[in-house]
Amino acid sequence: QSLTQSIEELEKKSKLLKKENETLLPERDIVRNQHDEIISQLNQRMADKAGKQITLNETREKLRETNQEILDVEQAIIQLKEDMIEERANARLEKKRLKDTIADTQEKIKSQKEANEDLKKQISTLMEELLESDTRNEEQRKTIRRSENMVERLESQVNQLEEQLEKEKQENVQLDKEGDRLKEEYASIQSNLLDKKAELQ
């Protein structure tokens, strides 16, 4: 009996639990749905939080990079200002050097112009002297040409006179021969005349 009673009690409890379970089933579904909704919301919040964290991390990284870029730009500006200061100082030195160079060059140009003027005067004087020398040389050349012409004429005259003298010498020789011949003829004629005169006496 004791076992039978126990079984009956257990069956009663089981039925009671089934009934309670059937009673609690809608609530369980409601609670389960609420639980699922809560879990879904939590998951969404966690996803949103993770997304926001990622965005926040990216924003922080961008902010860090931006701050670094700002520092780099500020450093570059400082370097640029220093370079500009140095460049201006160098420019002032270069400007002074150029001014000195220009002044020195202008002085050299002035000296060169003066030297050129002196040289022009010397060249002008030399040209005048050369012109005078050319004129004298031309006169001398003319005189030489006249003298040479005169010498040629005189030499020609001398040649003519020598030829004439030689011709006259030849003529004189011929005249001497002719004179001797005439003398011989005269002597012969005279001798003949004397002979004939003697014969006549």
Side-chain angles (χ1 to χ4, degrees):
Q1 291 179 348
S2 179
L3 181 60
T4 304
Q5 288 177 353
S6 297
I7 292 171
E8 288 177 354
E9 288 178 359
L10 288 172
E11 288 179 349
K12 286 180 182 180
K13 285 182 180 180
S14 177
K15 289 179 181 179
L16 181 62
L17 288 173
K18 286 182 179 179
K19 187 179 286 186
E20 288 179 356
N21 190 29
E22 290 175 356
T23 302
L24 292 174
L25 185 60
E27 293 181 1
R28 186 195 65 181
D29 292 337
I30 293 172
V31 169
R32 181 178 292 173
N33 291 334
Q34 289 177 348
H35 177 267
D36 291 341
E37 180 67 24
I38 290 170
I39 293 300
S40 176
Q41 290 179 0
L42 286 174
N43 288 335
Q44 184 63 41
R45 287 183 183 178
M46 289 178 68
D48 292 342
K49 184 177 181 181
K52 288 181 180 179
Q53 187 64 41
I54 292 172
T55 303
L56 180 61
N57 290 338
E58 291 177 351
T59 303
R60 284 176 178 172
E61 182 63 22
K62 288 182 180 179
L63 181 60
R64 188 190 66 78
E65 292 176 355
T66 303
N67 288 332
Q68 186 61 44
E69 289 178 358
I70 291 172
L71 289 175
D72 293 341
V73 171
E74 289 177 347
Q75 185 64 34
I77 291 172
I78 292 172
Q79 185 63 42
L80 182 60
K81 287 181 178 179
E82 291 177 355
D83 292 343
M84 288 178 64
I85 292 172
E86 184 179 359
E87 185 67 24
R88 286 175 181 173
N90 291 334
R92 284 194 296 271
L93 292 175
E94 182 65 15
K95 187 175 181 181
K96 184 179 182 302
R97 188 187 68 79
L98 288 174
K99 283 184 178 179
D100 294 340
T101 302
I102 290 171
D104 183 59
T105 303
Q106 288 176 341
E107 184 64 27
K108 288 180 179 178
I109 290 172
K110 181 180 178 183
S111 300
Q112 188 62 47
K113 284 183 177 179
E114 292 176 353
N116 289 345
E117 288 298 324
D118 292 339
L119 186 60
K120 284 181 181 178
K121 290 179 181 178
Q122 293 177 11
I123 291 174
S124 178
T125 302
L126 290 174
M127 289 297 292
E128 291 177 359
E129 292 178 355
L130 181 61
L131 183 60
E132 292 176 358
S133 176
D134 288 342
T135 302
R136 288 194 300 271
N137 290 337
E138 182 64 25
E139 292 296 328
Q140 290 175 354
R141 283 194 290 270
K142 289 181 180 178
T143 302
I144 291 171
R145 283 198 296 271
R146 287 195 297 269
S147 299
E148 289 175 347
N149 292 332
M150 184 178 295
V151 168
E152 289 178 359
R153 287 195 301 272
L154 291 173
E155 287 179 347
S156 177
Q157 290 177 5
V158 167
N159 291 331
Q160 290 176 0
L161 289 173
E162 287 179 347
E163 291 176 358
Q164 184 177 352
L165 177 61
E166 184 65 25
K167 185 178 180 180
E168 290 177 353
K169 283 181 179 180
Q170 294 295 330
E171 291 177 354
N172 190 37
V173 169
Q174 292 296 327
L175 289 174
D176 288 341
K177 289 180 178 181
E178 184 67 21
D180 291 340
R181 188 183 64 78
L182 291 173
K183 285 180 179 180
E184 290 176 356
E185 287 181 358
Y186 177 76
S188 177
I189 291 170
Q190 189 176 10
S191 176
N192 290 331
L193 288 175
L194 288 174
D195 290 339
K196 287 181 178 181
K197 185 177 179 181
E199 288 176 357
L200 293 173
Q201 292 179 348

